[in-house]
Amino acid sequence: MNIKDKQLISSARTTGVWYLMMAISGILGFMVFHSQIFVSSNPEQTLTNLIELESTARIRLLLEFAIVISQALTAVWFFKLFKDNYEWEAWTLGIWGMVNALVIMISAISIASAIGVANSDISTMEDKVVLIEVFQNIISNAWGIGGLFFGLWLFPMGFIVIKSKRMPIWLGRVIILGGIGYLISTAIRYAGIDFSFNRLLILPATIGEFWMIGYLLIFGIRPSNE
């Protein structure tokens, strides 16, 4: 194995670390802490939670920061990993990954604003409830419409994996399938179609991304002579 391959394996494992941090912060922030504070279609209860569970709400906010930072670093390290041999694809992967970070930043701004309004000196609770409902909708739609780019950034990632053959080809195929699933799922949701299995459409993306994280951390990337 030459020096360049060793450097690429090191970069790949670093990419895996950032990707894992993004996954962990996403699971804790969006899937664990979010529902403890933000109650769908109930801004009154959300307001109560933001006041009475302010420390939990701030943990939720800090986890959103962690998602933004780790997503941005993952995008940058993917670009670094593939830029020498797949420049156009690497740029696409990096840029679309950074868009993901910006989308989540919108959510973070809204969470911070909701905490601020809930604990402010605004005179009437009715005014607070209206503002909380607005911020709650922004958070939900940032993550919802963000599904477009959550899916798009998987296409160049999967394409590079398949084209380079330096990772399992089926990994690339599953990732691309996951990207398609994200796009279809987002379109169905915002078309107002009642499809009870909509969440299953993003299952390939979940499988592919955790497979990618594991491969990066354990193997890095295959040497160029394989």
Side-chain angles (χ1 to χ4, degrees):
M1 185 184 300
N2 57 44
I3 295 176
K4 185 176 181 180
D5 282 335
K6 290 181 179 179
Q7 291 173 340
L8 283 176
I9 290 172
S10 177
S11 293
R13 286 183 171 142
T14 302
T15 306
V17 170
W18 298 132
Y19 214 158
L20 179 61
M21 287 181 61
M22 184 176 72
I24 293 172
S25 56
I27 291 171
L28 289 175
F30 194 74
M31 298 179 67
V32 176
F33 281 89
H34 192 80
S35 60
Q36 295 181 32
I37 302 297
F38 295 92
V39 182
S40 179
S41 302
N42 194 339
E44 293 85 358
Q45 183 59 53
T46 298
L47 175 58
T48 300
N49 293 341
L50 286 167
I51 295 171
E52 296 181 355
L53 303 173
E54 183 181 353
S55 60
T56 302
R58 292 193 180 279
I59 292 172
R60 169 71 186 100
L61 176 59
L62 291 175
L63 286 167
E64 203 82 332
F65 290 173
I67 300 170
V68 172
I69 294 168
S70 55
Q71 169 67 81
L73 290 171
T74 302
V76 169
W77 251 262
F78 264 125
F79 172 77
K80 178 182 178 182
L81 183 62
F82 295 125
K83 66 182 176 64
D84 290 339
N85 296 314
Y86 303 95
E87 184 176 5
W88 184 85
E89 295 90 342
W91 273 108
T92 306
L93 176 57
I95 291 171
W96 288 352
M98 291 299 293
V99 171
N100 289 342
L102 291 172
V103 168
I104 300 167
M105 189 180 294
I106 293 171
S107 173
I109 292 169
S110 299
I111 293 173
S113 299
I115 294 171
V117 166
N119 295 281
S120 70
D121 295 328
I122 294 176
S123 57
T124 65
M125 293 297 288
E126 290 79 6
D127 289 342
K128 286 188 177 183
V129 169
V130 170
L131 289 171
I132 293 302
E133 186 172 16
V134 170
F135 292 131
Q136 198 164 353
N137 283 326
I138 293 173
I139 295 164
S140 175
N141 286 299
W143 278 90
I145 297 174
L148 293 174
F149 275 90
F150 300 160
L152 280 176
W153 94 305
L154 297 178
F155 286 102
M157 187 189 302
F159 179 78
I160 292 171
V161 169
I162 294 171
K163 188 175 180 180
S164 69
K165 298 181 180 178
R166 299 188 70 176
M167 294 179 179
I169 290 178
W170 269 104
L171 170 57
R173 291 171 179 169
V174 171
I175 286 173
I176 290 175
L177 183 62
I180 295 170
Y182 254 118
L183 296 182
I184 295 174
S185 174
T186 303
I188 288 174
R189 174 180 175 181
Y190 284 94
I193 299 171
D194 185 12
F195 181 53
S196 57
F197 298 103
N198 197 20
R199 287 186 175 273
L200 292 178
L201 291 173
I202 66 172
L203 182 59
T206 302
I207 294 171
E209 290 192 281
F210 276 100
W211 185 358
M212 172 63 82
I213 291 169
Y215 195 89
L216 289 169
L217 290 173
I218 297 170
F219 303 105
I221 192 169
R222 289 173 181 165
S224 57
N225 60 352
E226 290 187 10

